[in-house]
Amino acid sequence: MTRKITTYAFIDASNLFYGGEKYLGWKIDYQKLFEYIKKKYEVEKTYYLSGDGDFLPVLKYLRESGKKVIIMARGPRTAKEIRRFAKGNFKDFTRLENIIKQQ
């Protein structure tokens, strides 16, 4: 019997909206973003929060519980602790411009 893996997304609202759009120079289509992460990572539920450093205790708990943790953020604006924690599972969403840019 194969066990179904449940995937959740935690989005840093303040970094994405205030830091992301201001410095990217383009607006994010949040519906496209949610659709992208749902399809790419089979996300079942998305939590839209703020303060990326505040995520660290939750992320540590999830990893210690045997969950796979992938961080998707704007690299230069992400807390160093989060980037160190993510190691190879850090994805810079600036590379998704063609997919999530608002038209």
Side-chain angles (χ1 to χ4, degrees):
M1 176 184 275
T2 304
R3 193 175 124 204
K4 186 178 181 325
I5 297 172
T6 304
T7 305
Y8 300 109
F10 296 87
I11 296 177
D12 178 1
S14 62
N15 235 351
L16 191 61
F17 181 75
Y18 297 110
E21 291 187 354
K22 180 179 178 182
Y23 292 97
L24 288 172
W26 48 272
K27 291 199 176 284
I28 297 166
D29 184 322
Y30 291 95
Q31 185 64 38
K32 287 181 183 178
L33 174 62
F34 296 154
E35 289 171 10
Y36 172 81
I37 61 175
K38 183 176 183 173
K39 182 178 178 182
K40 173 86 174 169
Y41 300 106
E42 299 178 354
V43 169
E44 292 190 23
K45 188 162 185 167
T46 301
Y47 294 94
Y48 198 64
L49 310 166
S50 59
D52 64 350
D54 297 337
F55 287 122
L56 195 55
V58 173
L59 298 173
K60 285 180 179 179
Y61 170 79
L62 292 171
R63 183 177 282 165
E64 289 167 2
S65 299
K67 310 298 183 204
K68 182 176 182 179
V69 178
I70 299 169
I71 310 296
M72 182 179 290
R74 190 170 150 280
R77 300 277 304 170
T78 304
K80 291 177 188 175
E81 301 85 15
I82 298 289
R83 290 182 61 95
R84 277 196 300 268
F85 172 83
K87 299 178 184 167
N89 284 328
F90 183 85
K91 312 295 182 194
D92 193 331
F93 76 81
T94 58
R95 297 179 184 194
L96 302 176
E97 179 177 358
N98 293 334
I99 298 169
I100 64 171
K101 183 176 180 179
Q102 191 175 59
Q103 300 300 320

